[in-house]
Amino acid sequence: MSALAAAAAVRPSGATQRGNRFAGRNVAPGGRPRLSVQAAKSSTPPDVPKPRPGEERKNKAEWFQAILSKFGPVKEKASNTTVLDFEKPLVELDNRIKEVRQVAEENGVDVSNQIKELEERAKQLRKDTYSRLTPIQKLQVARHPNRPTFLDIALNITDKFVELHGDRGGLDDPAMVCGLGSIDGVSFMFIGHQKGRNTKENIYRNFGMPQPNGYRKALRFMRHADKFGFPIVTFVDTPGAYAGKAAEELGQGEAIAVNLREMFGFRVPIISVVIGEGGSGGALAIGCANRNLIMENSVYYVASPEACAAILWKSREKAGTATEALRITPSDLIKFKVMDEVIPEPLGAAHSDPMAAFPAVKDAIMRNYRRYEGMSAEEIQLDRYKKFRELGMWEEFLVAGGKNKEAREALETAPGATTAAGTWAPTADDAKFIEMMADMEEKWQQTLATKQEWLMKPEVPAGMTQPGLLELAAATVEARRRLVSGSDAAVDAGSAAAAGKTSPNGSAELVNAETN
């Protein structure tokens, strides 16, 4: 007998109480026997594998834990992990430590002191390597395929995260991810660029380069956050906006420009975090924030170093030189006040230990959010406006002979003087100069407002009360008529000058000769 027959019970089905014509029969309509199959009762689910001989399962929980253990964190880094050129000595030293430990375990030898020494050496080598990274090496780290993406960070720093889709125009862009999330009981609107881990994911995410509908999608949810009072946190990780033909036809430039305009009018605080590379307007379209943060090994640029090298030197081989000239590293960005804070990464960068990088990002976001908790909507808007108005300001201090240091020291020790309006100046001569410049500025503003004076007053021929092209043409025609007719009437100097300005054939000399 088969297992199915052993596990099934065959019994005739009863008739319904509604007078079915087959009542009392063991056949179905059509003359076939009516069968009812019922599975045999068993306490073990059918998909649970049977224990091997000599093994007994204690309970279902143990079996479930055994299944889940296969999906736990990896204990060893995969062999196909991307390794940068300057990281190869670190990987070789890690492999050597692993081999020594494995040989010691197989032979039962205690080499704990030697392993500890090698681990300290590896730690110091990793610290020295990452503390002396060149700009081009930082760019390579920022583009590392194993670097944490926006979704990696959002899912690990939030208590709950719900992704939202659509731009309310019938489109959705996987390269731009938006969603609501909460951190320590505070709800945020998260918006960020999303890259892929492999070729398939990168094609789906378009390598983190959003289309116009992606920026319109981001704007939709920023307006939603502004309406309901959710602080906005954006994560920048893109080489730039997608520059394809279809994107331009759909209005890529317009979509970015609208985002730039609208972000300065939002009444909620905006915090932007650069987690990889931030390129061109594609990054700035979600980066107009009150506070701009950048991870330690990230970059932020107006044009990619490769594009800059191709434009300036007609060769991509000059990308290293372009990287240094563009000043794209966090230290330079902090110096120029483009960024406000650098988020530290674990030793070896975030791609080597992502879980250790997430707490620093979370703390930085909450710390900067607390700055704006007590501010009004107007104060938040003015703070954002003030930040961007200060960008690009510089001090021009030129001294004859190039002795800037000595001149600055003399300026600091000057006795000081004040203008009539109370403005401080280093010396009395400087105070007079400031007053003179203020008077000139006031006079210029009055001139613009009332138009009482002309910087270059036009010449008006005699007899004319107001200048104009018609009057000037009439004076020129009259002067030529008298010249041709030989009239003895005197030609005024103004008419002769006017005729000279419009006569390239030398008639002005004839007019002047007749006048004399």
Side-chain angles (χ1 to χ4, degrees):
M1 183 180 292
S2 64
L4 179 60
V10 181
R11 61 179 178 83
S13 61
T16 62
Q17 298 179 0
R18 290 177 287 183
N20 194 318
R21 64 192 181 93
F22 295 101
R25 301 182 183 181
N26 292 332
V27 293
R32 294 188 303 273
R34 186 187 296 272
L35 301 178
S36 177
V37 180
Q38 182 178 3
K41 295 183 179 180
S42 175
S43 59
T44 305
D47 57 341
V48 177
K50 296 182 179 181
R52 297 177 180 178
E55 295 182 359
E56 295 183 359
R57 296 191 182 277
K58 296 181 180 180
N59 49 42
K60 297 179 181 179
E62 182 180 349
W63 166 79
F64 189 63
Q65 290 294 334
I67 297 297
L68 291 182
S69 63
K70 299 179 181 179
F71 302 95
V74 295
K75 298 180 180 180
E76 296 182 3
K77 187 179 295 186
S79 58
N80 60 348
T81 303
T82 303
V83 178
L84 303 176
D85 291 338
F86 64 88
E87 291 180 323
K88 290 180 179 179
L90 303 175
V91 175
E92 292 176 0
L93 188 54
D94 290 339
N95 292 336
R96 182 181 175 185
I97 295 174
K98 189 187 305 181
E99 292 175 0
V100 171
R101 184 180 285 110
Q102 183 177 358
V103 171
E105 291 177 357
E106 293 176 354
N107 299 322
V109 181
D110 183 15
V111 291
S112 57
N113 294 332
Q114 289 80 354
I115 292 177
K116 184 177 180 180
E117 182 180 352
L118 288 175
E119 289 177 345
E120 290 293 333
R121 189 184 306 175
K123 182 178 179 180
Q124 185 62 36
L125 179 61
R126 184 170 282 103
K127 183 177 180 180
D128 294 341
T129 300
Y130 279 91
S131 63
R132 296 196 301 263
L133 291 181
T134 62
I136 191 65
Q137 290 174 337
K138 279 189 175 290
L139 179 64
Q140 294 173 358
V141 175
R143 293 174 174 174
H144 199 285
N146 298 112
R147 194 167 177 83
T149 63
F150 162 55
L151 282 177
D152 294 332
I153 296 175
L155 294 173
N156 281 277
I157 68 174
T158 57
D159 305 323
K160 185 178 182 180
F161 180 78
V162 179
E163 186 176 351
L164 305 173
H165 296 272
D167 65 343
R168 289 289 173 90
L171 298 172
D172 188 27
D173 190 356
M176 184 72 73
V177 177
C178 308
L180 280 171
S182 61
I183 303 178
D184 298 337
V186 181
S187 296
F188 293 91
M189 177 63 74
F190 291 95
I191 299 171
H193 303 101
Q194 178 65 27
K195 291 182 177 180
R197 289 291 185 199
N198 49 45
T199 303
K200 184 177 180 180
E201 289 184 8
N202 274 320
I203 292 175
Y204 175 67
R205 300 287 183 181
N206 199 25
F207 296 86
M209 297 183 291
Q211 303 270 0
N213 43 288
Y215 292 111
R216 295 185 179 111
K217 169 185 173 181
L219 180 60
R220 172 204 167 191
F221 289 114
M222 284 190 282
R223 286 172 173 167
H224 179 88
D226 183 60
K227 179 178 181 179
F228 292 99
F230 298 137
I232 301 172
V233 181
T234 66
F235 292 84
V236 178
D237 188 15
T238 178
Y242 184 60
K245 181 175 179 290
E248 298 299 335
E249 291 175 348
L250 293 173
Q252 185 73 284
E254 182 269 347
I256 294 175
V258 171
N259 278 29
L260 298 180
R261 181 191 68 191
E262 294 296 319
M263 289 187 74
F264 282 99
F266 291 143
R267 300 167 297 173
V268 295
I270 304 176
I271 300 171
S272 178
V273 184
V274 181
I275 59 176
E277 57 177 335
S280 190
L284 196 60
I286 61 171
C288 296
N290 295 84
R291 298 285 292 177
N292 289 83
L293 317 180
I294 184 170
M295 296 187 72
E296 185 179 356
N297 293 296
S298 298
V299 293
Y300 199 67
Y301 48 75
V302 67
S304 67
E306 293 82 3
C308 178
I311 294 171
L312 296 181
W313 294 283
K314 304 296 186 294
S315 173
R316 294 173 63 93
E317 296 178 356
K318 293 287 187 178
T321 305
T323 306
E324 297 178 1
L326 286 170
R327 307 291 183 88
I328 64 177
T329 59
S331 58
D332 291 325
L333 296 170
I334 290 289
K335 177 182 178 181
F336 295 122
K337 298 183 180 180
V338 176
M339 292 292 159
D340 300 305
E341 182 180 334
V342 177
I343 301 177
E345 296 185 20
L347 188 62
H351 65 269
S352 64
D353 191 2
M355 298 303 297
F358 298 145
V361 176
K362 178 180 178 180
D363 293 342
I365 292 174
M366 295 305 297
R367 182 173 61 256
N368 284 275
Y369 163 70
R370 302 297 180 192
R371 296 167 55 100
Y372 300 96
E373 270 190 316
M375 288 190 181
S376 64
E378 291 75 13
E379 290 173 336
I380 292 173
Q381 288 176 324
L382 291 175
D383 176 82
R384 192 180 308 125
Y385 178 79
K386 176 176 176 292
K387 169 183 169 55
F388 281 85
R389 287 296 295 173
E390 291 179 350
L391 292 178
M393 296 181 64
W394 75 93
E395 180 184 8
E396 186 173 341
F397 192 78
L398 301 179
V399 180
K403 298 181 179 180
N404 290 356
K405 184 177 180 181
E406 293 79 359
R408 286 184 180 277
E409 293 177 353
L411 192 64
E412 293 175 357
T413 58
T418 56
T419 62
T423 303
W424 183 88
T427 62
D429 293 336
D430 291 332
K432 291 180 181 179
F433 178 76
I434 293 174
E435 290 180 353
M436 181 186 70
M437 295 298 295
D439 293 341
M440 292 177 63
E441 176 66 18
E442 183 179 354
K443 186 177 180 181
W444 171 245
Q445 294 297 335
Q446 184 180 3
T447 300
L448 293 178
T450 61
K451 298 183 180 180
Q452 294 178 351
E453 298 183 8
W454 293 86
L455 296 179
M456 297 180 64
K457 193 171 183 179
E459 298 180 7
V460 182
M464 300 295 178
T465 58
Q466 54 182 328
L469 290 177
L470 183 60
E471 290 81 359
L472 193 60
T476 305
V477 171
E478 179 65 19
R480 288 182 176 177
R481 186 189 64 79
R482 294 190 179 188
L483 178 64
V484 173
S485 62
S487 175
D488 295 335
V491 181
D492 58 276
S495 298
K501 288 184 178 180
T502 58
S503 301
N505 55 1
S507 59
E509 287 77 3
L510 297 177
V511 173
N512 292 333
E514 184 171 344
T515 304
N516 296 331

